[in-house]
Amino acid sequence: MTVWNDEFDDLLRQFLPYIPPDEQLTADTALRDAGLDSLGTVQLLAALEDRFDVRFKDDALTPETFETPGALWQALSTLLNPVE
């Protein structure tokens, strides 16, 4: 089970117009089905980078990264907690 923080959840929901506020996001929710389109993906990327003060590397900018909240949180977590 993937658990993300409220800040991530709140930010992500701003780009998912088809998810009601009281509906729980799960790790495998299809973001495209929830309303994340290509423009929203670019805006979400910028918002995540600004909010969490990270920079996604080119290899993380794939459709798979933005497929589900779980995949996106995993990519973000890797940036927030790099393995040395």
Side-chain angles (χ1 to χ4, degrees), residues 1-77:
M1 179 176 150
T2 303
V3 178
W4 49 80
N5 63 29
D6 290 341
E7 190 174 14
F8 174 79
D9 194 276
D10 292 343
L11 181 65
L12 180 57
R13 286 179 178 277
Q14 295 175 30
F15 297 92
L16 305 176
Y18 303 149
I19 296 288
D22 58 342
E23 185 174 323
Q24 182 177 6
L25 284 177
T26 65
D28 59 353
T29 297
L31 294 179
R32 185 162 300 280
D33 291 347
L36 184 65
D37 59 16
S38 57
L39 178 59
T41 299
V42 172
Q43 293 172 328
L44 174 58
L45 173 65
L48 287 169
E49 289 182 338
D50 286 346
R51 177 77 56 90
F52 292 97
D53 195 26
V54 295
R55 185 73 49 207
F56 280 80
K57 295 180 180 174
D58 289 345
D59 60 349
L61 302 177
T62 66
E64 292 78 18
T65 299
F66 292 89
E67 190 171 312
T68 65
L72 186 55
W73 177 250
Q74 179 63 40
L76 180 62
S77 294

